Amino acid sequence: MSSDVTPTAKPVKTTGLHVGDAGPGVRKVDPILIADGVKRTFGGLTAVDVAHVEVPRGAITALIGPNGAGKTTFFNLLTGFDKPDEGKWEFDGRSLAHVPAYRVARMGLIRTFQLTKALGLLTVMDNMKLGAKSQTGENLFRSVLPFLWRKQEDGIEEKAVELLTRFKLEPKKDDYAASLSGGQRKLLEMARALMSDPTLVMLDEPMAGVNPALTQSLLDHILDLKSQGMTVLFVEHDMHMVRHIADWVIVMAEGQIVAEGDPHTVMQDPAVIDAYLGAHHDADLGIDTEHVEVLKELIDDEQ
Ligand SMILES: Nc1ncnc2c1ncn2[C@@H]1O[C@H](COP(=O)(O)OP(=O)(O)O)[C@@H](O)[C@H]1O
Ligand SMILES: [Mg+2]
């Protein structure tokens, strides 16, 4: 566990994000994403059943919850990689229901995957180019405006180099993505996500499998996104990370939002402790013991 890692940049916490008392589904002053009645079942299993949730703009929000809580499924639904049985949700005031994943991305909502999708048999640079929004217009540019296309491709490459340098991957730009370490692939995925100038970046377990040295820089990169005006929604298991960089925490358990609030308050919420410690559950339900340990540690810290 990389609990001894803290961000080098002092995070500037954003305050006053919500309207009224914090709690599941609380309204935000300036929501960038709003989901309403979003439900997804797999056979008899209800994986996601979110009554209402709003993600505050310009802040870092952590989505936490035990394994199997429905976090990844919820990410998939929000970004068009899966379809809900019912419900509606909007991004920046525009409905996203029935909008396919590539169009969601073009609208400025980019996500990364829990299991990294960097394409191993492409070079690092080609992975970056794939992240460029403009590639959707590739054919038109190539056939009709070859000059403009070349100019645009230069721009893309320049931007890719700039991002790779920022993520310390520039020396590896001609290597196959498959040759990168797990942590470097996470960095590549994040760098690639930034190729399209997103306004909302959703990261599914960005720190998982990343060694402590890289964890540090990933954390700083996430803080950077916020300082550049982006909104971040990330799933994370390490509660120390959550506490250090999140302005807001949303807790899911068994498909539902069970708590929301600022990190310090949420960690002391009985609903959260319940969700993690499984007070009403049987250990057979697959409560993630690592989670429980981390939370216990954190509660001790707070006292
Ligand atoms: N494609 C699928 N088919 C069947 N069950 C699924 C599928 N995807 C997820 N689930 C189930 O939905 C629940 C939520 O999973 P997931 O969203 O991956 O949780 P989390 O990311 O919070 O760990 C789990 O019980 C999981 O087994
Ligand atoms: Mg998951």
Side-chain angles (χ1 to χ4, degrees), residues 237-282:
H237 281 197
D238 188 322
M239 294 302 148
H240 293 273
M241 308 281 174
V242 168
R243 203 155 51 134
H244 279 298
I245 68 169
D247 302 299
W248 193 256
V249 179
I250 297 173
V251 188
M252 267 183 102
E254 297 175 354
Q256 304 186 357
I257 309 295
V258 296
E260 272 194 63
D262 69 80
H264 293 272
T265 316
V266 158
M267 302 307 178
Q268 292 174 334
D269 185 329
V272 177
I273 295 166
D274 190 25
Y276 276 89
L277 303 182
H280 300 311
H281 309 299
D282 211 296

